Amino acid sequence: MSNLVESLSNSKTPNVPNWCPGCGDFGIWSAFKLAAQKKGWDSSNSAIVAGIGCHGHMVNFVQITAFEGLHGRSLPVASGIKMANNNLNVFSFSGDGDSLAEGCNHFVHTARRNHDITLILHDNAVYGLTTGQTSPRSPKGYVSKSTPAGSVEEPLNPLTMAIASGATFVAREYAGNIEQISELLIAANEHRGFSLVVILQPCVTFNHMYTHYFFQKNTYYLDKTHDITNKLHALEKSMEWDLNKIPLGIFYKVESPSYEDQIPVLQSGALGMRNIEVRNISDLYKGFA
Amino acid sequence: MPNAQSKTSLNPNVFTFKIGGEAGFGIMSAGLNFAKVATRSGYHTFDYTEYPSLVRGGHNVMQISVSKDRVDSQYATTDFLVALNQETLNLHEHELIEGSGVLYDSDHNIDVSHLPSYVKTFELPLTHIIKEVNGSMVMRNSIAIGAALALLDGDLNILKTLIEESFGHKKNDVVSINHKACQIGYDYVLKEHAGDVKKILTPISGFTFNPDAPSLLLPTGNEAIALGAVASGMSFASIYPMTPTSNILHSLAPHQEKYGFVYKQPEDEISAINMAIGAAHAGARSMVATSGGGFALMSEGYGLAGITETPVVIIEGMRGSPATGLPTWTEQGDLRFVLHAHQGDFPRIVLAPGDVEEAFHASMLAFNLAEKYQTPVVVLVDKFICESHSSVAPFDYSNFKIDRGKLTLEKQDGYKRFAPSPDGISLRTVAGSGNHFVANSDEHDEIGYSNEEIENRNTQMNKRMQKLVTCSAQDMQAPVVYGPKDADVTIVSWGSNKGPILEALKVLPNVNYVHITWINPFPVEKLKQLLDNAKYLINIEANFSGQMHGLIKQHTGINILNNFVKYDGRPFYPEEIVERVKGI
Ligand SMILES: Cc1ncc(C[n+]2csc(CCOP(=O)(O)OP(=O)(O)O)c2C)c(N)n1
Ligand code: SF4
Ligand SMILES: [Mg+2]
């Protein structure tokens, strides 16, 4: 635990986190800083992006160059950063509303393209920042400000969707498991391609169903018998969600060239760090007369 | 299309050639070949295309204005019409004037019997000729252009060279069959009508075409914008296809490796602008291109670039609107949209080039302005500019210097990304430079941390808006006046109307034209001075509500009373401008 204490005092900013006491976001914050400490992630080698939601406040509490964009749009910004500088470790902090409602289109397409970025999805099954409406992760029957009689919609499953869409690293953790999350983030970052790390994140203020206690009681780790390269098994496991039966760990991991690995222009160093010069276009005049 | 009421042409120095037929059969490439024959013979051309939003079926037509001197517009009259189907004749016969010629496919049941006697008709049995050479239906164009060249004294060898250039990569017999086809067309009409040949495309004596260094190019506005972007060091483009700007992406995509930039097709325009912003955040020179509908989706990212002070170039090619509107037709209805899109205030620079040449330079300049002012720059064009080819000398950008503004890629001590400064511009850096900052869509402090304090809000807002003041002083360009300094009538307009207005001016000696190219910041003082000194003002623009009229009134207090607006998807014609001005 001394590692953890150290991480709380380094790679953080002068700002004091303003999440509700007990919020799962504290765990994700600590785990990220721990991983950053271990791997030396800083503004010279890493960039973080966030969506809008309670999760997005992260940019104010981590000492790494950040882009806090618009609700739902963290993934295209992250993809742009990675294409412009493929030497950077790129992390996107997003929420279940952010990535699965407003930005669901980007979620599917970023997975499909296998951009080499890590999406940390704060899954609290509710809209936290807007004070408690139903989210695409809320279970059927969920009572919230926007669904006073209980939601009649089925939730979306980000793990299943990501695997089906072409993500090459798909994992889940619970916000209380700080050391494990930090290991997982390191593995996700080292993986070449799109990595989804879903964190079950209790919203202590607005979600009284998915509490710390609930996740501590009902989660278990996938063991060695789970073949992480088998897509069908991974899909099957991703759909498991029951009392005492919520799997954690890496569901799916396969090697496949990332988007950036396949673009010839990006093989000669960071695009955004190159000298910008006036180009001679006279070769392009052919065909114009 | 306005009625050609007078049965004479407005400008006898301009010859208008039109080819029309069913969509999907290469009308546009045939027309372009005709324009290139003219170019390679020493003439200036301008072309204008009309087509429905379909890949096949529907009516396609291309008009090419040919002149010994610079020509900037299509005309309402047609001197020579190539009709590959009856519809072409039905839709365009009213444009024919004294002495016009009509070349028609006589195997296609086209009825020319009702045409007035002052129109000369030339039949061409296209199906028979195709059978003769064992060719295919797409060759009808080559045959027709071959025949047209014969009647206009054009050089068939140039057409043959063009055919070689476009089919050269295919099998040799494709070239030879097409060669044979155009030769048969050429010979056929000469045999029957040798006495009707007009010296329109006679190669200009003393002119030699140098394929390696042509003296005149024939790009579209889209191509000019793409060339400008490449010349200006653009390194990242994310463009979702949309008429009329898709050809920007088509022009860029093949050249990425050679010039070292990335073109990316995103999942939608929201993603397009966010990717471009992300790439710029990491140091790339970024651009997007779209039309009004795509820009509606980009509105969100437009202000994001504004508040995060991220440079991005946005090409907005207007078309008939709202919604899907008139997808393949022109309009200037998005002027107010680009000025006001997004909630709240942020500094936006909006340029509106008026022709292909201006489009090239605006495109180059936009990248400098975006980086210098760390804010979005819109280049506002329309279908008429984007898709019309026009003769221009090879672009001269020898004086252009890359200006990335206040930018450091090195690590700085005590760095503050959004530190206030008198000109509103802070020292920018990029992700990966080692300098910590937050590009934050929330209002933020000097480092970028979210901050909602009154003093900070005012400081940051004032700092951002100050950039427009600096830009007005350092970069904004005044309107350009064409025609006599003292005129009885002054036309005020902007964007692509420039071409038809300049053509109209050729026959209106006491009229001048004030051409506005900077929309934001707006050249208030200079424009006010020009308009105050004018004897009579008329405003011309292609939208329903007179958006520029309102903008001028808002900024200068001058209420122009004579407003000529049009919103039928067609560009202005010189004839209707002349008529309007003469009616004053
Ligand atoms: C375009 C847009 N629509 C709506 C909002 C309001 N909004 C802010 S955060 C949010 C939902 C947040 O939910 P989630 O992404 O799950 O984040 P959490 O707060 O739970 O971490 C909404 C709807 C917004 N900022 N922008
Ligand atoms: S509202 Fe919920 S998610 Fe937001 S800070 Fe509070 S506990 Fe965390
Ligand atoms: Mg949430």
Side-chain angles (χ1 to χ4, degrees):
Chain A
M1 276 324 240
S2 68
N3 248 347
L4 183 56
V5 174
E6 200 185 315
S7 81
L8 285 170
S9 50
N10 289 305
S11 57
K12 66 167 190 170
T13 66
N15 304 312
V16 181
N18 47 5
W19 294 303
C20 308
C23 174
D25 286 341
F26 282 101
I28 302 172
W29 179 50
S30 304
F32 183 79
K33 283 187 297 165
L34 189 59
Q37 283 290 108
K38 273 193 195 153
K39 301 310 281 184
W41 299 337
D42 62 21
S43 294
S44 69
N45 56 31
S46 305
I48 64 176
V49 181
I52 297 292
C54 294
H55 61 271
H57 296 328
M58 191 70 77
V59 297
N60 296 310
F61 318 131
V62 175
Q63 183 91 23
I64 291 177
T65 299
F67 194 106
E68 180 166 17
L70 299 165
H71 186 39
R73 315 299 172 209
S74 76
L75 286 175
V77 172
S79 307
I81 294 174
K82 187 71 192 189
M83 284 185 271
N85 190 337
N86 50 347
N87 299 327
L88 295 178
N89 308 303
V90 180
F91 301 93
S92 162
F93 293 91
S94 178
D96 45 328
D98 199 67
S99 267
L100 302 176
E102 195 89 54
C104 196
N105 197 18
H106 311 310
F107 177 86
V108 172
H109 287 279
T110 312
R112 166 173 89 83
R113 294 186 192 118
N114 204 27
H115 282 296
D116 186 14
I117 58 188
T118 299
L119 169 61
I120 301 160
L121 203 156
H122 300 223
D123 181 3
N124 55 8
V126 71
Y127 285 11
L129 189 65
T130 46
T131 70
Q133 299 85 6
T134 189
S135 105
R137 284 292 299 141
S138 307
K140 191 163 182 177
Y142 186 73
V143 175
S144 73
K145 283 184 181 161
S146 59
T147 51
S151 166
V152 297
E153 298 172 18
E154 291 292 341
L156 271 180
N157 184 326
L159 302 171
T160 315
M161 267 173 61
I163 298 167
S165 306
T168 49
F169 183 108
V170 177
R172 181 163 61 200
E173 254 301 348
Y174 149 63
N177 300 332
I178 294 173
E179 300 264 6
Q180 292 88 332
I181 298 175
S182 79
E183 289 309 316
L184 195 55
L185 291 179
I186 291 168
N189 179 57
E190 280 167 5
H191 174 75
R192 278 185 105 84
F194 181 66
S195 305
L196 169 68
V197 180
V198 172
I199 315 272
L200 300 170
Q201 176 240 320
C203 168
V204 295
T205 307
F206 296 113
N207 192 331
H208 302 300
M209 205 164 150
Y210 292 154
T211 59
H212 282 283
Y213 179 69
F214 177 88
F215 289 127
Q216 282 161 8
K217 207 171 111 223
N218 292 309
T219 53
Y220 76 97
Y221 281 102
L222 292 166
D223 62 20
K224 286 199 194 80
T225 61
H226 173 67
D227 177 3
I228 58 171
T229 63
N230 186 318
K231 199 170 204 166
L232 287 178
H233 288 181
L235 283 169
E236 207 173 303
K237 275 291 169 194
S238 76
M239 287 186 258
E240 196 178 297
W241 182 282
D242 223 330
L243 293 183
N244 292 316
K245 279 184 79 175
I246 301 175
L248 300 178
I250 300 175
F251 289 71
Y252 187 58
K253 180 179 188 313
V254 288
E255 298 306 321
S256 174
S258 74
Y259 184 87
E260 290 71 25
D261 281 342
Q262 299 172 76
I263 304 301
V265 174
L266 300 184
Q267 305 320 307
S268 42
L271 196 63
M273 291 295 180
R274 295 182 201 170
N275 217 8
I276 303 259
E277 281 166 350
V278 174
R279 297 191 184 105
N280 185 334
I281 54 168
S282 40
D283 280 358
L284 292 173
Y285 288 163
K286 258 203 158 44
F288 281 128
Chain B
M1 186 86 32
N3 277 327
Q5 279 160 345
S6 64
K7 290 287 173 194
T8 55
S9 75
L10 186 68
N11 184 345
N13 297 325
V14 176
F15 186 83
T16 51
F17 174 88
K18 184 169 264 183
I19 178 167
E22 197 186 336
F25 288 94
I27 299 293
M28 309 307 191
S29 45
L32 185 56
N33 269 347
F34 180 89
K36 285 180 175 176
V37 171
T39 303
R40 293 184 184 195
S41 305
Y43 294 89
H44 292 248
T45 68
F46 178 95
D47 68 44
Y48 167 60
T49 57
E50 290 184 342
Y51 62 100
S53 187
L54 299 165
V55 173
R56 284 213 170 212
H59 180 63
N60 270 14
V61 69
M62 183 163 180
Q63 192 196 58
I64 298 124
S65 305
V66 182
S67 175
K68 284 188 176 143
D69 311 310
R70 183 178 162 142
V71 56
D72 282 289
S73 171
Q74 83 298 356
Y75 276 82
T77 55
T78 296
D79 294 314
F80 196 92
L81 179 65
V82 178
L84 296 179
N85 60 7
Q86 181 70 45
E87 199 182 359
T88 304
L89 197 62
N90 295 349
L91 288 171
H92 303 288
E93 62 184 68
H94 70 273
E95 300 162 13
L96 300 169
I97 55 172
E98 184 81 48
S100 288
V102 174
L103 179 73
Y104 67 100
D105 183 357
S106 51
D107 288 340
H108 216 84
N109 286 330
I110 298 176
D111 178 20
V112 293
S113 58
H114 59 290
L115 290 177
S117 57
Y118 58 73
V119 169
K120 180 86 190 150
T121 59
F122 308 97
E123 81 292 345
L124 192 62
L126 287 173
T127 312
H128 277 88
I129 297 177
I130 286 166
K131 272 206 193 115
E132 204 178 308
V133 296
N134 226 343
S136 65
M137 286 306 273
V138 285
M139 283 176 191
R140 292 168 75 208
N141 301 314
S142 292
I143 304 167
I145 296 292
L149 290 184
L151 293 168
L152 301 174
D153 198 30
D155 183 346
L156 189 66
N157 285 326
I158 302 179
L159 181 64
K160 287 184 174 173
T161 310
L162 287 163
I163 289 169
E164 255 166 57
E165 288 171 12
S166 49
F167 296 121
H169 57 285
K170 293 195 184 154
K171 284 203 194 97
N172 254 344
D173 48 340
V174 178
V175 173
S176 64
I177 292 176
N178 271 287
H179 276 182
K180 220 194 255 171
C182 67
Q183 184 74 52
I184 292 177
Y186 187 90
D187 295 342
Y188 185 92
V189 288
L190 273 195
K191 197 167 64 202
E192 302 289 321
H193 305 285
D196 294 313
V197 174
K198 286 189 172 180
K199 294 195 169 300
I200 298 299
L201 289 180
T202 317
I204 288 176
S205 69
F207 178 86
T208 41
F209 174 71
N210 177 354
D212 295 319
S215 54
L216 282 180
L217 307 173
L218 209 50
T220 60
N222 277 334
E223 288 162 342
I225 288 167
L227 287 170
V230 174
S232 201
M234 177 276 293
S235 48
F236 184 84
S238 44
I239 303 173
Y240 190 84
M242 187 167 187
T243 304
T245 54
S246 299
N247 275 328
I248 296 178
L249 84 85
H250 301 164
S251 303
L252 291 174
H255 304 298
Q256 302 172 67
E257 284 171 49
K258 175 161 183 196
Y259 293 93
F261 63 85
V262 168
Y263 162 71
K264 174 82 198 83
Q265 179 171 327
E267 61 272 29
D268 55 31
E269 289 86 352
I270 299 175
S271 183
I273 191 158
N274 279 282
M275 278 185 183
I277 289 171
H281 176 69
R285 274 207 146 180
S286 286
M287 72 178 288
V288 296
T290 186
S291 184
F295 185 68
L297 293 186
M298 291 184 183
S299 306
E300 194 192 43
Y302 190 28
L304 174 67
I307 194 168
T308 58
E309 307 202 31
T310 311
V312 62
V313 171
I314 302 166
I315 312 294
E316 214 270 48
M318 298 175 282
R319 64 191 214 186
S321 289
T324 310
L326 297 166
T328 59
W329 302 85
T330 202
E331 194 168 276
Q332 296 178 307
D334 301 350
L335 177 75
R336 287 289 186 172
F337 185 34
V338 300
L339 284 177
H340 302 293
H342 201 91
Q343 63 273 23
D345 290 312
F346 62 93
R348 50 187 107 203
I349 297 173
V350 180
L351 311 177
D355 57 25
V356 162
E357 173 107 36
E358 288 181 17
F360 174 84
H361 293 291
S363 170
M364 281 200 88
L365 179 63
F367 287 93
N368 271 1
L369 295 173
E371 287 210 297
K372 179 172 176 188
Y373 296 103
Q374 306 173 11
T375 208
V377 177
V378 176
V379 178
L380 188 60
V381 281
D382 57 28
K383 184 265 173 184
F384 186 41
I385 288 193
C386 286
E387 298 195 345
S388 294
H389 300 84
S390 117
S391 295
V392 284
F395 301 111
D396 178 9
Y397 54 100
S398 51
N399 290 327
F400 186 89
K401 292 199 173 49
I402 300 286
D403 182 1
R404 303 197 71 186
K406 298 182 193 171
L407 172 70
T408 178
L409 303 182
E410 308 292 317
K411 185 140 172 40
Q412 306 284 319
D413 285 338
Y415 178 71
K416 287 189 174 153
R417 167 69 184 91
F418 304 104
S421 112
D423 59 5
I425 307 167
S426 315
L427 178 63
R428 176 176 157 243
T429 192
V430 303
S433 64
N435 296 308
H436 174 242
F437 71 103
V438 182
N440 197 338
S441 76
D442 283 287
E443 188 57 274
H444 43 262
D445 66 13
E446 299 180 358
I447 291 180
Y449 295 132
S450 305
N451 186 316
E452 301 179 354
E453 304 295 321
I454 295 172
E455 198 184 329
N456 178 74
R457 162 64 172 183
N458 289 336
T459 305
Q460 288 297 324
M461 192 71 175
N462 294 343
K463 181 186 96 72
R464 288 191 296 268
M465 298 313 289
Q466 181 66 24
K467 295 193 271 189
L468 285 182
V469 178
T470 308
C471 181
S472 306
Q474 297 185 3
D475 290 287
M476 185 177 62
Q477 290 162 20
V480 182
V481 181
Y482 293 88
K485 206 163 166 276
D486 288 313
D488 295 339
V489 174
T490 295
I491 298 173
V492 184
S493 192
W494 62 285
S496 65
N497 308 333
K498 179 185 177 187
I501 292 171
L502 290 186
E503 290 302 307
L505 250 49
K506 288 179 180 171
V507 296
L508 294 170
N510 291 322
V511 178
N512 64 8
Y513 168 45
V514 175
H515 177 54
I516 302 167
T517 57
W518 274 65
I519 308 294
N520 208 56
F522 197 65
V524 183
E525 293 311 319
K526 188 70 199 175
L527 183 66
K528 190 168 165 15
Q529 194 187 325
L530 288 168
L531 303 194
D532 276 341
N533 290 335
K535 289 189 194 131
Y536 184 94
L537 292 171
I538 173 169
N539 169 56
I540 296 183
E541 58 185 311
N543 57 60
F544 181 88
S545 56
Q547 300 184 15
M548 176 58 86
H549 165 265
L551 195 68
I552 292 171
K553 188 173 171 189
Q554 170 194 325
H555 281 295
T556 65
I558 296 169
N559 184 18
I560 300 177
L561 296 174
N562 194 340
N563 289 283
F564 185 19
V565 299
K566 138 171 210 184
Y567 38 86
D568 58 11
R570 279 67 179 169
F572 284 96
Y573 281 76
E575 288 89 342
E576 56 188 348
I577 294 170
V578 170
E579 198 183 309
R580 179 83 180 207
V581 170
K582 286 195 168 156
I584 290 170

